Amino acid sequence: MNHLLAIAFLTFSSLLINSCGITDHDHDHEADHDYATTVIVTLVNQSNTTDTIKAVWKDLDGPGGAAPSIIDTISLKSDITYIGSIELYNESKTPKTDITQEVKANNYEHQFFYSLSTGIASLLEWTVTDKDRNDLPVGLTFQIKTKTGAGNKGFVNIVLSHYDSMTKNGTSKSLESDIDIDYPVIIGQ
């Protein structure tokens, strides 16, 4: 009888523990800890596709170490529409990790925010063009429209929000960011 009670107790305990597990996300949390050492912003002039800009930001030792070794300036022409994309890699590993694919696969947990400094904010329209499965912005692709300006300088702050501990709503940054970097920008050079 004691043997049957022990089996019943163990079965009930096992069911209780398994049913109370936290399963709020359906992905591998190991990937959450990968960081981007390299960010590439690509911009293609919509009216002249041979006019392509690639701006690289690279910090191979990752957050908290030495300053980034490469921060390209994004030089934009006035009165142009650019089609843009962003790629993320962790090049501190061999082989390097394509974080862009991780963001794409889990786009409902990620959103890029592009914030323009006051020196250029009135001269640029930066519009995110891709959406996640919930029809909320992601930001892996975007469009930039420049207005007339000559030698205007500033920067774009790029933040990749990761919604692991809060719900993505399409307008608010998360408490956790996977990247938070600045690119210098010049318009009309």
Side-chain angles (χ1 to χ4, degrees):
M1 181 71 165
N2 285 342
H3 183 66
L4 288 174
L5 280 172
I7 290 173
F9 176 75
L10 288 173
T11 303
F12 177 75
S13 297
S14 175
L15 288 172
L16 182 64
I17 290 169
N18 285 333
S19 67
C20 291
I22 298 173
T23 57
D24 59 336
H25 297 289
D26 58 352
H27 70 277
D28 179 13
H29 284 278
E30 290 300 312
D32 291 343
H33 302 291
D34 223 355
Y35 55 88
T37 61
T38 305
V39 178
I40 303 170
V41 172
T42 303
L43 303 170
V44 179
N45 182 331
Q46 190 172 2
S47 60
N48 177 7
T49 56
T50 61
D51 180 13
T52 300
I53 299 165
K54 279 203 183 279
V56 176
W57 179 95
K58 191 174 283 205
D59 184 6
L60 292 178
D61 70 347
S69 58
I70 299 173
I71 304 175
D72 289 340
T73 297
I74 299 173
S75 295
L76 304 171
K77 295 177 180 164
S78 294
D79 299 314
I80 299 289
T81 298
Y82 294 93
I83 305 303
S85 62
I86 189 165
E87 301 167 79
L88 309 169
Y89 299 95
N90 182 342
E91 294 185 328
S92 69
K93 298 178 175 184
T94 304
K96 71 181 179 183
T97 305
D98 184 350
I99 299 171
T100 312
Q101 296 308 312
E102 294 174 15
V103 172
K104 225 178 254 189
N106 298 304
N107 60 14
Y108 58 96
E109 290 188 339
H110 294 88
Q111 183 176 344
F112 286 90
F113 289 88
Y114 299 93
S115 302
L116 304 169
S117 68
T118 55
I120 59 171
S122 64
L123 299 173
L124 288 179
E125 278 181 43
W126 198 301
T127 308
V128 169
T129 57
D130 57 333
K131 306 257 183 185
D132 67 13
R133 67 184 187 190
N134 299 315
D135 203 35
L136 296 172
V138 177
L140 286 167
T141 60
F142 47 87
Q143 182 181 65
I144 299 174
K145 290 183 181 179
T146 63
K147 298 177 184 173
T148 301
N152 293 72
K153 296 179 182 180
F155 66 90
V156 59
N157 174 250
I158 302 174
V159 173
L160 174 56
S161 280
H162 187 151
Y163 298 88
D164 201 28
S165 62
M166 64 185 282
T167 303
K168 178 180 172 181
N169 64 17
T171 57
S172 301
K173 291 179 184 175
S174 66
L175 302 175
E176 176 186 351
S177 61
D178 289 341
I179 66 166
D180 186 344
I181 63 172
D182 293 328
Y183 270 101
V185 177
I186 298 176
I187 302 171
Q189 286 273 333

